Amino acid sequence: MYGCPDLIRFCGPFFFDHRTGRTGGTRRRPGLRFSFDRFAVKIENMIKEGWEAVIGMEIHAQLATETKIFCGCAVETGGEPNSHTCPVCLGLPGALPVLNSRVIDLGARAALALGLEIQETSVFSRKNYFYPDLPKGYQISQYDKPFSADGVLNILTAERDDSGHAVDWRPMAIGIERMHLEEDAGKNIHEGMPDTDKYSYVDLNRAGTPLGEIVTKPDFRTSWQAYDYVNHVRRALQWVGASDADMEKGNLRCEANVSVRRVGETKFNNKVELKNLNSVRFMQKAIEFEIERQIAAHEAGEPVNQETRLWDEKNNVTRVMRSKEDAHDYRYFPEPDLQPLEVSAEFIKRVKSEMPELPDAMRERFSAEYDLSFADASQLVTEKSLAEFYERTAKASGDPRVSANYILSELLRELNAAGKTAAESPVSPEGLGELIKTLGAGKINNNQAKEVLTEMFASGKTAAEVISEKGFEQISDVAAIEKIVADVIAANEGQVAAYRGGNEKLFGFFVGQVMKASQGKANPKVVNEVLKAKLG
Ligand SMILES: [Zn+2]
């Protein structure tokens, strides 16, 4: 339905570069991308006919609060180990948790951005397990009464062709079971410290960091659908300011539950939980590998165990980590130190009123209001700062379509080459708007405008400054052009007679002479008009 007309756009509405953490067109650097995609597509094509994959996703997103969920310790990465801790997040006896209200605000924003219903009452529960990075012996999470539930999220997804191009973007509704709120655990450190051959270390700075855990229904059938979904969620959370959602920094982590079955079957076979997926790419590759492994096992009559497997990125395989726990292994029970969380209709109304316009709504508005194609509008809403940049440029220039063209081709190329986002662009939307206005007024031509933009980007100068430095100003003044035309006619009597005698091909000769006499600065449109009038 929605083709991708060129390299920039093929990246599609939800492109995200896992290496740089940026959305936008960085993927146009072909090397890495293509080798990666080919690998994945090759595997995907090997999926045996008659089988289908059943995939559900779990995403842990760190909510962008300044302090932890149940105490006042700062949420910061990189500090001295165990420096951001207190009796609450260390789990010392007698310490009582107090819910951080900012978590509710950001959780509500996230829930609304993902199409979830916020529940009037939700309950925090203890999830009991032992692990050295969890000193309390339980994690405060939510179980049977989550913060939000029953969502339907409309994403766009595309199959990829043999060379890794996204083709045929189309909408897909994903059922979101729930998003609950919980605290993160600390970290066990097994390397980079003294004697790590003998000891492991525990850093509890991360313990108590607020998370939203987003769980989908098993609605995905291909790894690319899961890939497009994760990118959609990433962008949505960043868009509303609920989470930085940066996988490289670990503040967005995803897990995939994968099983396979014969087409037409309705029951689910044993599923495998995939972890250690450090990028959306690795996740996609891990799912592909797992689908193939499970089909081969089923066909050989071998068991597929319910277990957790890790992605081994060196060898491109998944490996068993442990057998999977069931919910009853955790012995959930309501957290006695916290009240049930009540959320009023007024609160939800207030959060809704503070939400920015969401990307899908913005894409539709751009198409309607500015007459942009689906592909262009989609590309402009890949990132909030890009969408805002566009809208300011469109207003400043008065020409929304030319603004879209210049941003999607010229500006994005400069931004990608410089590794910058639209928010970091050295050319402001108003500066670009001025350039587009100058172009629209016929003072410079298209090629000159592109050259001016490159120079503005490199030097930070205004369009007017660069145009005057380069001597690009077009002569559009009719009187000035009439004078040049008169000189050209006087100097070429023979050609004038021939033209008037019927040799119309000579018109181009006169245009060339006038352009030459004006050192290329005469506005060609005005030159044509004046010449036609004078030559008769
Ligand atoms: Zn604390």
Side-chain angles (χ1 to χ4, degrees):
M1 181 157 76
Y2 309 120
C4 290
D6 61 34
L7 262 182
I8 296 179
R9 277 156 218 158
F10 105 83
C11 303
F14 303 113
F15 158 57
F16 162 64
D17 188 310
H18 73 275
R19 288 169 294 117
T20 63
R22 290 172 192 286
T23 50
T26 334
R27 255 206 219 159
R28 288 155 72 233
R29 279 176 244 154
L32 256 174
R33 161 184 179 78
F34 287 156
S35 57
F36 231 144
D37 275 1
R38 276 207 194 103
F39 176 81
V41 168
K42 225 187 265 168
I43 297 176
E44 191 173 44
N45 292 344
M46 281 156 58
I47 292 179
K48 288 233 170 78
E49 212 149 304
W51 289 93
E52 73 174 359
V54 180
I55 305 159
M57 297 297 302
E58 289 173 26
I59 292 179
H60 285 88
Q62 180 183 328
L63 299 173
T65 56
E66 285 174 16
T67 56
K68 295 184 179 180
I69 183 168
F70 298 122
C71 63
C73 293
V75 174
E76 268 175 40
T77 46
E80 186 75 6
N82 299 305
S83 58
H84 302 303
T85 53
C86 71
V88 173
C89 52
L90 289 175
L92 300 185
L96 292 174
V98 177
L99 182 59
N100 176 352
S101 67
R102 186 72 182 141
V103 170
I104 313 306
D105 276 359
L106 297 182
R109 279 179 167 240
L112 294 172
L114 299 175
L116 282 151
E117 300 280 339
I118 296 171
Q119 307 296 294
E120 228 170 86
T121 305
S122 61
V123 172
F124 286 99
S125 290
R126 291 189 181 180
K127 179 181 182 180
N128 298 281
Y129 64 94
F130 172 78
Y131 209 58
D133 63 9
L134 188 74
K136 293 202 293 283
Y138 60 86
Q139 176 191 23
I140 303 180
S141 180
Q142 295 184 312
Y143 181 52
D144 51 350
K145 291 202 164 70
F147 178 69
S148 57
D150 299 327
V152 175
L153 183 65
N154 291 305
I155 67 164
L156 289 173
T157 184
E159 293 304 315
R160 269 63 172 184
D161 66 15
D162 287 344
S163 54
H165 285 65
V167 284
D168 200 19
W169 288 100
R170 55 186 179 277
M172 180 181 184
I174 304 297
I176 310 223
E177 220 162 76
R178 57 196 273 146
M179 186 195 76
H180 63 254
L181 305 173
E182 63 182 26
E183 60 177 346
D184 206 347
K187 263 184 195 165
N188 293 329
I189 297 171
H190 308 291
E191 50 193 26
M193 301 286 281
D195 301 324
T196 38
D197 54 334
K198 288 189 225 136
Y199 305 110
S200 286
Y201 293 77
V202 178
D203 178 3
L204 295 172
N205 279 351
R206 198 179 70 180
T209 298
L211 300 176
E213 180 175 341
I214 305 148
V215 183
T216 72
K217 298 202 162 115
D219 283 353
F220 305 97
R221 294 292 169 271
T222 73
S223 62
W224 287 114
Q225 291 169 353
Y227 176 93
D228 292 328
Y229 163 77
V230 173
N231 281 333
H232 184 110
V233 171
R234 263 193 65 257
R235 181 185 57 165
L237 297 179
Q238 287 173 347
W239 196 280
V240 300
S243 171
D244 295 339
D246 185 337
M247 282 185 92
E248 278 189 356
K249 291 192 180 136
N251 52 32
L252 188 101
R253 307 194 287 268
C254 54
E255 291 156 27
N257 291 302
V258 181
S259 64
V260 298
R261 63 185 174 193
R262 299 243 180 223
V263 172
E265 272 180 19
T266 48
K267 74 172 180 62
F268 298 114
N269 289 318
N270 275 351
K271 68 183 177 191
V272 163
E273 184 184 50
L274 297 176
K275 286 193 177 213
N276 198 31
L277 310 169
N278 297 327
S279 75
V280 199
R281 276 293 187 216
F282 289 155
M283 178 201 81
Q284 189 266 332
K285 281 172 76 176
I287 293 173
E288 287 297 341
F289 177 88
E290 197 49 34
I291 291 170
E292 197 197 344
R293 186 188 73 82
Q294 291 183 21
I295 291 173
H298 283 298
E299 292 206 325
E302 290 163 6
V304 171
N305 297 322
Q306 185 129 327
E307 61 198 6
T308 299
R309 296 175 78 94
L310 300 181
W311 176 241
D312 172 350
E313 62 186 65
K314 273 199 195 114
N315 299 297
N316 286 326
V317 295
T318 62
R319 295 189 188 285
V320 182
M321 178 191 176
R322 57 167 186 242
S323 63
K324 173 82 178 127
E325 299 87 348
D326 282 321
H328 61 253
D329 295 330
Y330 290 116
R331 300 194 174 275
Y332 281 96
F333 64 86
E335 165 63 63
D337 294 335
L338 287 165
Q339 300 270 0
L341 172 62
E342 309 271 352
V343 171
S344 67
E346 289 74 46
F347 168 82
I348 296 171
K349 208 172 142 194
R350 199 250 301 154
V351 174
K352 269 187 186 159
S353 72
E354 290 167 0
M355 295 265 285
E357 186 182 20
L358 292 175
D360 289 346
M362 206 175 225
R363 183 186 59 227
E364 273 166 37
R365 185 169 60 78
F366 281 3
S367 294
E369 205 169 299
Y370 301 128
D371 196 22
L372 300 184
S373 69
F374 178 87
D376 284 356
S378 298
Q379 180 71 6
L380 287 167
V381 301
T382 48
E383 199 186 4
K384 198 175 172 197
S385 69
L386 184 66
E388 288 168 353
F389 193 103
Y390 166 70
E391 201 148 36
R392 279 170 60 191
T393 307
K395 289 214 167 82
S397 70
D399 193 334
R401 293 192 72 165
V402 174
S403 298
N405 291 342
Y406 264 74
I407 288 171
L408 291 178
S409 52
E410 307 305 315
L411 186 75
L412 269 189
R413 187 180 53 235
E414 299 289 343
L415 287 172
N416 292 332
K420 288 184 153 98
T421 66
E424 299 157 342
S425 167
V427 177
S428 69
E430 289 70 30
L432 179 57
E434 184 206 332
L435 174 67
I436 292 167
K437 255 188 177 165
T438 312
L439 171 70
K443 291 183 184 153
I444 51 173
N445 66 36
N446 209 27
N447 287 336
Q448 288 171 331
K450 288 176 184 172
E451 208 180 318
V452 172
L453 179 59
T454 305
E455 181 60 26
M456 287 167 73
F457 198 91
S459 67
K461 289 177 181 158
T462 66
E465 282 165 351
V466 177
I467 289 167
S468 117
E469 269 175 25
K470 290 193 178 277
F472 276 167
E473 264 145 316
Q474 281 196 90
I475 303 171
S476 297
D477 177 44
V478 178
I481 290 174
E482 275 176 347
K483 189 170 173 304
I484 301 171
V485 167
D487 292 345
V488 168
I489 287 176
N492 297 284
E493 276 173 19
Q495 279 88 346
V496 173
Y499 178 80
R500 288 186 175 143
N503 187 354
E504 287 184 12
K505 281 185 192 159
L506 277 169
F507 192 77
F509 164 79
F510 293 111
V511 173
Q513 290 299 306
V514 175
M515 293 309 286
K516 202 173 149 193
S518 74
Q519 291 164 328
K521 290 184 190 171
N523 181 333
K525 207 172 139 226
V526 181
V527 171
N528 273 304
E529 285 162 11
V530 173
L531 269 173
K532 272 188 189 139
K534 298 285 173 197
L535 289 167

mmCIF file with all atom_site columns, all heavy atoms in Angstrom, residues 372-386:
data_model
loop_
_atom_site.group_PDB
_atom_site.id
_atom_site.type_symbol
_atom_site.label_atom_id
_atom_site.label_alt_id
_atom_site.label_comp_id
_atom_site.label_asym_id
_atom_site.label_entity_id
_atom_site.label_seq_id
_atom_site.pdbx_PDB_ins_code
_atom_site.Cartn_x
_atom_site.Cartn_y
_atom_site.Cartn_z
_atom_site.occupancy
_atom_site.B_iso_or_equiv
_atom_site.pdbx_formal_charge
_atom_site.auth_seq_id
_atom_site.auth_comp_id
_atom_site.auth_asym_id
_atom_site.auth_atom_id
_atom_site.pdbx_PDB_model_num
ATOM 1   N N   . LEU A 1 372 ? 0.577  16.897 2.190  1.00 0.00 ? 372 LEU A N   1
ATOM 2   C CA  . LEU A 1 372 ? 1.779  16.076 2.024  1.00 0.00 ? 372 LEU A CA  1
ATOM 3   C C   . LEU A 1 372 ? 1.378  14.637 1.725  1.00 0.00 ? 372 LEU A C   1
ATOM 4   O O   . LEU A 1 372 ? 0.316  14.175 2.137  1.00 0.00 ? 372 LEU A O   1
ATOM 5   C CB  . LEU A 1 372 ? 2.613  16.094 3.306  1.00 0.00 ? 372 LEU A CB  1
ATOM 6   C CG  . LEU A 1 372 ? 3.123  17.450 3.790  1.00 0.00 ? 372 LEU A CG  1
ATOM 7   C CD1 . LEU A 1 372 ? 4.001  17.263 5.017  1.00 0.00 ? 372 LEU A CD1 1
ATOM 8   C CD2 . LEU A 1 372 ? 3.904  18.160 2.697  1.00 0.00 ? 372 LEU A CD2 1
ATOM 9   N N   . SER A 1 373 ? 2.248  13.912 1.038  1.00 0.00 ? 373 SER A N   1
ATOM 10  C CA  . SER A 1 373 ? 1.987  12.496 0.792  1.00 0.00 ? 373 SER A CA  1
ATOM 11  C C   . SER A 1 373 ? 2.115  11.731 2.106  1.00 0.00 ? 373 SER A C   1
ATOM 12  O O   . SER A 1 373 ? 2.725  12.209 3.065  1.00 0.00 ? 373 SER A O   1
ATOM 13  C CB  . SER A 1 373 ? 3.009  11.950 -0.204 1.00 0.00 ? 373 SER A CB  1
ATOM 14  O OG  . SER A 1 373 ? 4.286  11.911 0.408  1.00 0.00 ? 373 SER A OG  1
ATOM 15  N N   . PHE A 1 374 ? 1.563  10.533 2.125  1.00 0.00 ? 374 PHE A N   1
ATOM 16  C CA  . PHE A 1 374 ? 1.661  9.685  3.315  1.00 0.00 ? 374 PHE A CA  1
ATOM 17  C C   . PHE A 1 374 ? 3.129  9.446  3.662  1.00 0.00 ? 374 PHE A C   1
ATOM 18  O O   . PHE A 1 374 ? 3.534  9.523  4.826  1.00 0.00 ? 374 PHE A O   1
ATOM 19  C CB  . PHE A 1 374 ? 0.960  8.351  3.058  1.00 0.00 ? 374 PHE A CB  1
ATOM 20  C CG  . PHE A 1 374 ? 1.061  7.392  4.212  1.00 0.00 ? 374 PHE A CG  1
ATOM 21  C CD1 . PHE A 1 374 ? 0.137  7.439  5.238  1.00 0.00 ? 374 PHE A CD1 1
ATOM 22  C CD2 . PHE A 1 374 ? 2.084  6.466  4.276  1.00 0.00 ? 374 PHE A CD2 1
ATOM 23  C CE1 . PHE A 1 374 ? 0.234  6.575  6.318  1.00 0.00 ? 374 PHE A CE1 1
ATOM 24  C CE2 . PHE A 1 374 ? 2.189  5.593  5.355  1.00 0.00 ? 374 PHE A CE2 1
ATOM 25  C CZ  . PHE A 1 374 ? 1.261  5.656  6.372  1.00 0.00 ? 374 PHE A CZ  1
ATOM 26  N N   . ALA A 1 375 ? 3.937  9.152  2.639  1.00 0.00 ? 375 ALA A N   1
ATOM 27  C CA  . ALA A 1 375 ? 5.353  8.839  2.884  1.00 0.00 ? 375 ALA A CA  1
ATOM 28  C C   . ALA A 1 375 ? 6.079  10.040 3.491  1.00 0.00 ? 375 ALA A C   1
ATOM 29  O O   . ALA A 1 375 ? 6.827  9.893  4.454  1.00 0.00 ? 375 ALA A O   1
ATOM 30  C CB  . ALA A 1 375 ? 6.026  8.408  1.584  1.00 0.00 ? 375 ALA A CB  1
ATOM 31  N N   . ASP A 1 376 ? 5.836  11.230 2.929  1.00 0.00 ? 376 ASP A N   1
ATOM 32  C CA  . ASP A 1 376 ? 6.514  12.419 3.453  1.00 0.00 ? 376 ASP A CA  1
ATOM 33  C C   . ASP A 1 376 ? 6.060  12.728 4.880  1.00 0.00 ? 376 ASP A C   1
ATOM 34  O O   . ASP A 1 376 ? 6.883  12.993 5.756  1.00 0.00 ? 376 ASP A O   1
ATOM 35  C CB  . ASP A 1 376 ? 6.229  13.638 2.558  1.00 0.00 ? 376 ASP A CB  1
ATOM 36  C CG  . ASP A 1 376 ? 7.045  13.590 1.271  1.00 0.00 ? 376 ASP A CG  1
ATOM 37  O OD1 . ASP A 1 376 ? 7.863  12.659 1.129  1.00 0.00 ? 376 ASP A OD1 1
ATOM 38  O OD2 . ASP A 1 376 ? 6.862  14.476 0.416  1.00 0.00 ? 376 ASP A OD2 1
ATOM 39  N N   . ALA A 1 377 ? 4.756  12.678 5.096  1.00 0.00 ? 377 ALA A N   1
ATOM 40  C CA  . ALA A 1 377 ? 4.241  12.982 6.430  1.00 0.00 ? 377 ALA A CA  1
ATOM 41  C C   . ALA A 1 377 ? 4.756  11.962 7.447  1.00 0.00 ? 377 ALA A C   1
ATOM 42  O O   . ALA A 1 377 ? 5.132  12.314 8.560  1.00 0.00 ? 377 ALA A O   1
ATOM 43  C CB  . ALA A 1 377 ? 2.713  13.002 6.420  1.00 0.00 ? 377 ALA A CB  1
ATOM 44  N N   . SER A 1 378 ? 4.826  10.694 7.040  1.00 0.00 ? 378 SER A N   1
ATOM 45  C CA  . SER A 1 378 ? 5.331  9.647  7.939  1.00 0.00 ? 378 SER A CA  1
ATOM 46  C C   . SER A 1 378 ? 6.774  9.910  8.312  1.00 0.00 ? 378 SER A C   1
ATOM 47  O O   . SER A 1 378 ? 7.176  9.772  9.458  1.00 0.00 ? 378 SER A O   1
ATOM 48  C CB  . SER A 1 378 ? 5.255  8.275  7.272  1.00 0.00 ? 378 SER A CB  1
ATOM 49  O OG  . SER A 1 378 ? 3.928  7.954  6.991  1.00 0.00 ? 378 SER A OG  1
ATOM 50  N N   . GLN A 1 379 ? 7.545  10.275 7.306  1.00 0.00 ? 379 GLN A N   1
ATOM 51  C CA  . GLN A 1 379 ? 8.962  10.512 7.546  1.00 0.00 ? 379 GLN A CA  1
ATOM 52  C C   . GLN A 1 379 ? 9.177  11.696 8.496  1.00 0.00 ? 379 GLN A C   1
ATOM 53  O O   . GLN A 1 379 ? 10.043 11.672 9.347  1.00 0.00 ? 379 GLN A O   1
ATOM 54  C CB  . GLN A 1 379 ? 9.657  10.760 6.203  1.00 0.00 ? 379 GLN A CB  1
ATOM 55  C CG  . GLN A 1 379 ? 11.145 11.012 6.297  1.00 0.00 ? 379 GLN A CG  1
ATOM 56  C CD  . GLN A 1 379 ? 11.938 9.770  6.653  1.00 0.00 ? 379 GLN A CD  1
ATOM 57  O OE1 . GLN A 1 379 ? 11.380 8.674  6.735  1.00 0.00 ? 379 GLN A OE1 1
ATOM 58  N NE2 . GLN A 1 379 ? 13.213 9.933  6.887  1.00 0.00 ? 379 GLN A NE2 1
ATOM 59  N N   . LEU A 1 380 ? 8.317  12.704 8.360  1.00 0.00 ? 380 LEU A N   1
ATOM 60  C CA  . LEU A 1 380 ? 8.469  13.895 9.205  1.00 0.00 ? 380 LEU A CA  1
ATOM 61  C C   . LEU A 1 380 ? 8.120  13.620 10.664 1.00 0.00 ? 380 LEU A C   1
ATOM 62  O O   . LEU A 1 380 ? 8.607  14.314 11.548 1.00 0.00 ? 380 LEU A O   1
ATOM 63  C CB  . LEU A 1 380 ? 7.603  15.040 8.663  1.00 0.00 ? 380 LEU A CB  1
ATOM 64  C CG  . LEU A 1 380 ? 8.129  15.682 7.372  1.00 0.00 ? 380 LEU A CG  1
ATOM 65  C CD1 . LEU A 1 380 ? 7.070  16.574 6.752  1.00 0.00 ? 380 LEU A CD1 1
ATOM 66  C CD2 . LEU A 1 380 ? 9.414  16.461 7.626  1.00 0.00 ? 380 LEU A CD2 1
ATOM 67  N N   . VAL A 1 381 ? 7.273  12.613 10.918 1.00 0.00 ? 381 VAL A N   1
ATOM 68  C CA  . VAL A 1 381 ? 6.920  12.336 12.317 1.00 0.00 ? 381 VAL A CA  1
ATOM 69  C C   . VAL A 1 381 ? 7.728  11.178 12.908 1.00 0.00 ? 381 VAL A C   1
ATOM 70  O O   . VAL A 1 381 ? 7.370  10.643 13.941 1.00 0.00 ? 381 VAL A O   1
ATOM 71  C CB  . VAL A 1 381 ? 5.401  12.086 12.519 1.00 0.00 ? 381 VAL A CB  1
ATOM 72  C CG1 . VAL A 1 381 ? 4.604  13.293 12.070 1.00 0.00 ? 381 VAL A CG1 1
ATOM 73  C CG2 . VAL A 1 381 ? 4.932  10.835 11.802 1.00 0.00 ? 381 VAL A CG2 1
ATOM 74  N N   . THR A 1 382 ? 8.837  10.806 12.269 1.00 0.00 ? 382 THR A N   1
ATOM 75  C CA  . THR A 1 382 ? 9.675  9.754  12.871 1.00 0.00 ? 382 THR A CA  1
ATOM 76  C C   . THR A 1 382 ? 10.245 10.230 14.191 1.00 0.00 ? 382 THR A C   1
ATOM 77  O O   . THR A 1 382 ? 10.608 9.441  15.036 1.00 0.00 ? 382 THR A O   1
ATOM 78  C CB  . THR A 1 382 ? 10.876 9.372  11.976 1.00 0.00 ? 382 THR A CB  1
ATOM 79  O OG1 . THR A 1 382 ? 11.510 10.562 11.544 1.00 0.00 ? 382 THR A OG1 1
ATOM 80  C CG2 . THR A 1 382 ? 10.451 8.520  10.811 1.00 0.00 ? 382 THR A CG2 1
ATOM 81  N N   . GLU A 1 383 ? 10.347 11.533 14.360 1.00 0.00 ? 383 GLU A N   1
ATOM 82  C CA  . GLU A 1 383 ? 10.957 12.069 15.563 1.00 0.00 ? 383 GLU A CA  1
ATOM 83  C C   . GLU A 1 383 ? 10.274 13.383 15.880 1.00 0.00 ? 383 GLU A C   1
ATOM 84  O O   . GLU A 1 383 ? 9.975  14.156 14.983 1.00 0.00 ? 383 GLU A O   1
ATOM 85  C CB  . GLU A 1 383 ? 12.433 12.315 15.288 1.00 0.00 ? 383 GLU A CB  1
ATOM 86  C CG  . GLU A 1 383 ? 13.266 12.435 16.512 1.00 0.00 ? 383 GLU A CG  1
ATOM 87  C CD  . GLU A 1 383 ? 14.698 12.817 16.152 1.00 0.00 ? 383 GLU A CD  1
ATOM 88  O OE1 . GLU A 1 383 ? 14.980 13.043 14.975 1.00 0.00 ? 383 GLU A OE1 1
ATOM 89  O OE2 . GLU A 1 383 ? 15.499 12.908 17.069 1.00 0.00 ? 383 GLU A OE2 1
ATOM 90  N N   . LYS A 1 384 ? 10.032 13.609 17.159 1.00 0.00 ? 384 LYS A N   1
ATOM 91  C CA  . LYS A 1 384 ? 9.280  14.803 17.540 1.00 0.00 ? 384 LYS A CA  1
ATOM 92  C C   . LYS A 1 384 ? 9.998  16.082 17.125 1.00 0.00 ? 384 LYS A C   1
ATOM 93  O O   . LYS A 1 384 ? 9.385  17.020 16.618 1.00 0.00 ? 384 LYS A O   1
ATOM 94  C CB  . LYS A 1 384 ? 9.068  14.788 19.048 1.00 0.00 ? 384 LYS A CB  1
ATOM 95  C CG  . LYS A 1 384 ? 7.970  15.697 19.496 1.00 0.00 ? 384 LYS A CG  1
ATOM 96  C CD  . LYS A 1 384 ? 7.770  15.509 20.978 1.00 0.00 ? 384 LYS A CD  1
ATOM 97  C CE  . LYS A 1 384 ? 6.817  16.505 21.554 1.00 0.00 ? 384 LYS A CE  1
ATOM 98  N NZ  . LYS A 1 384 ? 6.962  16.553 23.011 1.00 0.00 ? 384 LYS A NZ  1
ATOM 99  N N   . SER A 1 385 ? 11.315 16.112 17.328 1.00 0.00 ? 385 SER A N   1
ATOM 100 C CA  . SER A 1 385 ? 12.030 17.358 17.007 1.00 0.00 ? 385 SER A CA  1
ATOM 101 C C   . SER A 1 385 ? 11.992 17.631 15.510 1.00 0.00 ? 385 SER A C   1
ATOM 102 O O   . SER A 1 385 ? 11.962 18.779 15.083 1.00 0.00 ? 385 SER A O   1
ATOM 103 C CB  . SER A 1 385 ? 13.471 17.309 17.513 1.00 0.00 ? 385 SER A CB  1
ATOM 104 O OG  . SER A 1 385 ? 14.242 16.390 16.790 1.00 0.00 ? 385 SER A OG  1
ATOM 105 N N   . LEU A 1 386 ? 11.969 16.572 14.704 1.00 0.00 ? 386 LEU A N   1
ATOM 106 C CA  . LEU A 1 386 ? 11.893 16.756 13.249 1.00 0.00 ? 386 LEU A CA  1
ATOM 107 C C   . LEU A 1 386 ? 10.517 17.296 12.858 1.00 0.00 ? 386 LEU A C   1
ATOM 108 O O   . LEU A 1 386 ? 10.399 18.211 12.038 1.00 0.00 ? 386 LEU A O   1
ATOM 109 C CB  . LEU A 1 386 ? 12.171 15.429 12.541 1.00 0.00 ? 386 LEU A CB  1
ATOM 110 C CG  . LEU A 1 386 ? 12.226 15.474 11.018 1.00 0.00 ? 386 LEU A CG  1
ATOM 111 C CD1 . LEU A 1 386 ? 13.425 16.292 10.551 1.00 0.00 ? 386 LEU A CD1 1
ATOM 112 C CD2 . LEU A 1 386 ? 12.303 14.066 10.420 1.00 0.00 ? 386 LEU A CD2 1
#
